Amino acid sequence: MPETASSSPFLPRAALAATLALAAIVATPAAAGASTIYPPSGSCTASPTTTQAGGTIAFACEAETFSPDESLTITVTGENGADASIGMVRFAITTASGTATSAADGSLTAIDITLPSNATGTYNIAAVSSTSAGGTAAVTITGADGLPATGLDQASTIGLWIGGGALLLAGAALAIVATVRRRRDLR
């Protein structure tokens, strides 16, 4: 008896596969359009961009960075960043964060951020909301001479010297043990 379209087990599987392939092709552009929100370049600033440890900077964002009157989260990330205070609040967490509200034009008016007294390196400050990626700015900590604090000082390298010395001693001990074993095996 000849096989008909309704009795073929291959036809429903092929139809299902074709339908799934068509759905994947149609859904791909929609998934690409649903990607994450990216912050506009240069929308937020820190002033000044270099300061000494314990210094206070002003962080602000331009109009239309956020939706009007929207709740924002501001974070400060950097070495000892938990000691930064945003406005008048001090936080004891890895990254200090606080909240603010955007203005009617979607901007963030300048907020004072006091960096820790033991601040070093670069601090990244970010403002985000539920509808906007917001923006970021960076602040570099300078030494008393006005130059950026870079590199390592003697106190921070003591661990490297101790660790390096321990590795050298361990290597020398292994070399001695290997030499003694070789001499024993030759006898």
Side-chain angles (χ1 to χ4, degrees), residues 154-171:
Q154 186 175 3
S156 63
T157 59
I158 192 77
L160 292 174
W161 284 104
I162 292 172
L167 287 174
L168 283 173
L169 287 174

Side-chain angles (χ1 to χ4, degrees), residues 94-116:
T94 304
T95 298
S97 66
T99 58
T101 303
S102 64
D105 64 354
S107 66
L108 173 65
T109 56
I111 291 179
D112 286 340
I113 298 175
T114 303
L115 298 173

Side-chain angles (χ1 to χ4, degrees), residues 9-155:
F10 179 72
L11 188 59
R13 288 183 188 162
L16 178 62
T19 303
L20 288 175
L22 182 62
I25 291 170
V26 171
T28 300
S35 64
T36 57
I37 304 170
Y38 294 100
S41 178
S43 60
C44 295
T45 58
S47 178
T49 58
T50 58
T51 188
Q52 292 184 358
T56 299
I57 56 120
F59 177 74
C61 298
E62 296 177 355
E64 298 180 7
T65 301
F66 304 100
S67 297
D69 303 314
E70 180 175 34
S71 178
L72 313 173
T73 300
I74 301 167
T75 59
V76 178
T77 305
E79 190 172 332
N80 306 315
D83 293 334
S85 59
I86 300 171
M88 299 304 286
V89 182
R90 189 176 201 96
F91 297 91
I93 55 177
T94 304
T95 298
S97 66
T99 58
T101 303
S102 64
D105 64 354
S107 66
L108 173 65
T109 56
I111 291 179
D112 286 340
I113 298 175
T114 303
L115 298 173
S117 60
N118 57 351
T120 60
T122 300
Y123 285 76
N124 294 311
I125 304 159
V128 296
S129 71
S130 61
T131 63
S132 171
T136 62
V139 175
T140 302
I141 305 303
T142 60
D145 56 3
L147 296 173
T150 61
L152 301 172
D153 60 2
Q154 186 175 3

